[in-house]
Amino acid sequence: MSGERMRPIFPQKRVQKELESLNARAGEDGICVHDYPDAESCRIQVLGAPGTLYAGENFMLRFRFPARYPFESPEVVFEGGSPMHPHIYSNGHICLSILYDAWSPALTVHAVCMSILSMLSSAQEKVRPKDDASYVARVGHRSPKLSKWHFDDDRV
Amino acid sequence: MEDQEAVGPPVPVADLKVQYAENPDFKQKVEFLVDRFQHMRRARPDGSCFYRSYLFAIFEQMVGDKERALAFRERQKDALEFCLSVGYERMAIEDFFDDFMELLDAVSVEGATRATLEDLWTDEKDRYLVCWARVLTSAYLKRHEQDFACFLTAHSSVQQFCAQEVDPMTTEADHLQITALSSQLQVPVTVVYLDRSEGSAAEHPFAHDSTLPFTPIHLLYRPGHYDLIYPK
């Protein structure tokens, strides 16, 4: 056993099932479980799709699963450098409705990653949201689920 | 909000008279309701009240009734595959389907009573069942996209409508959701509207052409909320 991190047993059966399935098809769709920073979190590496502004770029998403997952949404942020994108803040917060008001228990880690990748793919230019500086100064690194989000257009 | 039971015990419809005593706009309609209906069950008002009321009443009709349960089970046995065919992930929805079918079996056995159903309908069960109802509704809307697309006003596609107005657990059901779910389940339901409009309470039937052996369920609608109501 080298330095490989032990895979934790998540109390939520659904989390366990989802991560096992993601591991079984590691790398498919540019989505790959990276590691488990603590007993309630998992980091997932996503790869920008070919032919898009982010082609070949790797990003790290951190999922934190609340006890009531999947009835409550996971907390999802970019860690260690977030993509320059009109709906992604420099503190890693993502403006995507399914992570907040429009979350559904029928969504999965995989579905969330696909939505985020699709959001990256449809970007026209690499820019930060207009209110990036003020938003990040205001919320810092607290949970994005505490922010009041306005969703103009999920697709871009 | 969780202080209130997901689906409450039967209470007399006449209780509405007290609630609306100071409200002349509703007086006539409340009297009409009291004439026609015996009791009601209040549903927790968290956006899922239509889904849980309708499902609860369906299960209530199958309590100890093998024939109904069999007909309903036959209609629902392929429902999981149906939902997978419109793009849901098996892992994300199979538990909801399993819970739904387990409850069906548990309430339809001989000797089961309404109390059996009430006891089994825990908050956790309620979340699973509501979620399944929402998935079924979305799946039906997506499968019959051409029939529904023309009714959309604020959404660009049926897909978007489902993602914003059906799947999230806090979104309320309106005409399209009721049409879709009742068409999928094939259990007739009548929505009785209690609002400030003129005349007696308007009623709207859904899936009344169903051939399944169920009697129509009645839901009392007040703006933003549904409760179960039972005819005399």
Side-chain angles (χ1 to χ4, degrees):
Chain A
M1 286 280 147
S2 56
E4 192 191 328
R5 278 169 198 268
M6 288 288 287
R7 203 172 287 163
I9 302 292
F10 287 88
Q12 309 91 329
K13 200 175 95 194
R14 251 286 289 279
V15 175
Q16 201 65 26
K17 275 210 291 195
E18 287 192 41
L19 295 180
E20 275 164 21
S21 147
L22 277 175
N23 276 317
R25 48 181 190 181
E28 253 177 62
D29 305 317
I31 299 165
C32 193
V33 179
H34 186 261
D35 63 358
Y36 308 90
D38 58 49
E40 16 175 75
S41 308
C42 163
R43 289 198 296 178
I44 309 241
Q45 198 167 45
V46 293
L47 176 67
T52 71
L53 289 179
Y54 307 88
E57 288 184 60
N58 273 310
F59 301 102
M60 196 68 83
L61 286 167
R62 181 184 180 127
F63 281 71
R64 186 171 276 126
F65 301 101
R68 275 164 48 120
Y69 180 85
F71 294 101
E72 199 181 302
S73 65
E75 178 192 302
V76 185
V77 295
F78 278 103
E79 267 195 6
S82 64
M84 290 277 267
H85 182 283
H87 288 166
I88 301 170
Y89 290 86
S90 51
N91 63 351
H93 288 194
I94 307 161
C95 181
L96 178 66
S97 62
I98 58 165
L99 297 179
Y100 313 106
D101 302 2
W103 168 254
S104 151
L107 288 168
T108 58
V109 173
H110 184 262
V112 168
C113 291
M114 290 299 283
S115 287
I116 291 171
L117 281 172
S118 144
M119 190 170 113
L120 290 180
S121 294
S122 47
Q124 303 294 315
E125 60 177 326
K126 288 184 170 183
V127 289
R128 288 286 178 208
K130 286 195 183 71
D131 61 337
D132 186 59
S134 61
Y135 175 79
V136 173
R138 195 170 69 246
V139 310
H141 285 283
R142 72 173 191 195
S143 169
K145 289 169 76 177
L146 300 171
S147 300
K148 184 108 190 90
W149 295 98
H150 296 282
F151 309 103
D152 308 323
D153 184 357
D154 266 1
R155 284 163 300 146
V156 181
Chain B
M1 210 150 38
E2 297 219 351
D3 293 352
Q4 186 177 337
E5 277 178 271
V7 181
V11 294
V13 170
D15 286 5
L16 289 173
K17 274 187 171 174
V18 183
Q19 191 180 342
Y20 289 101
E22 309 290 314
N23 209 323
D25 289 352
F26 289 95
K27 193 167 182 285
Q28 192 190 350
K29 286 184 181 175
V30 168
E31 272 168 16
F32 159 84
L33 291 174
V34 173
D35 278 349
R36 251 201 84 202
F37 297 92
Q38 187 74 44
H39 57 269
M40 59 189 288
R41 285 180 190 266
R42 294 180 191 274
R44 185 184 293 150
D46 59 0
S48 293
C49 46
F50 161 72
Y51 298 100
R52 72 163 59 88
S53 301
Y54 184 34
L55 281 194
F56 185 92
I58 292 174
F59 283 103
E60 199 175 29
Q61 284 201 30
M62 294 191 289
V63 165
D65 190 327
K66 275 222 153 97
E67 190 204 342
R68 266 188 187 150
L70 243 125
F72 187 72
R73 173 175 262 286
E74 182 59 25
R75 168 86 198 164
Q76 293 305 315
K77 67 179 182 354
D78 301 323
L80 179 60
E81 302 304 320
F82 171 67
C83 295
L84 296 177
S85 76
V86 302
Y88 282 103
E89 286 179 70
R90 179 181 294 274
M91 172 187 354
I93 61 170
E94 63 186 356
D95 291 350
F96 308 138
F97 173 72
D98 290 345
D99 255 46
F100 182 81
M101 294 311 246
E102 275 167 24
L103 184 63
L104 204 166
D105 292 337
V107 300
S108 58
V109 294
E110 226 176 293
T113 63
R114 284 196 165 81
T116 313
L117 175 62
E118 288 168 354
D119 290 346
L120 289 172
W121 203 282
T122 59
D123 280 354
E124 193 190 359
K125 196 76 162 178
D126 180 76
R127 283 196 288 273
Y128 275 66
L129 295 168
V130 164
C131 192
W132 180 245
R134 288 179 181 276
V135 169
L136 276 180
T137 305
S138 274
Y140 192 91
L141 285 164
K142 288 171 188 169
R143 175 55 70 81
H144 299 88
E145 195 175 352
Q146 297 95 323
D147 302 337
F148 290 104
C150 54
F151 295 107
L152 299 179
T153 49
H155 300 83
S156 59
S157 65
V158 167
Q159 204 79 23
Q160 195 202 37
F161 178 81
C162 292
Q164 293 179 358
E165 307 296 338
V166 187
D167 292 345
M169 294 291 273
T170 52
T171 54
E172 290 169 16
D174 211 332
H175 219 84
L176 291 189
Q177 290 92 329
I178 302 175
T179 303
L181 186 59
S182 59
S183 303
Q184 202 288 332
L185 295 172
Q186 282 293 296
V187 176
V189 53
T190 298
V191 179
V192 183
Y193 295 87
L194 178 60
D195 54 25
R196 287 169 196 278
S197 62
E198 293 290 312
S200 66
E203 296 190 13
H204 196 105
F206 295 87
H208 274 228
D209 55 355
S210 164
T211 54
L212 290 189
F214 283 81
T215 56
I217 286 160
H218 289 79
L219 298 177
L220 175 63
Y221 177 79
R222 287 173 277 175
H225 187 61
Y226 299 85
D227 289 307
L228 268 168
I229 192 163
Y230 299 80
K232 282 184 174 166

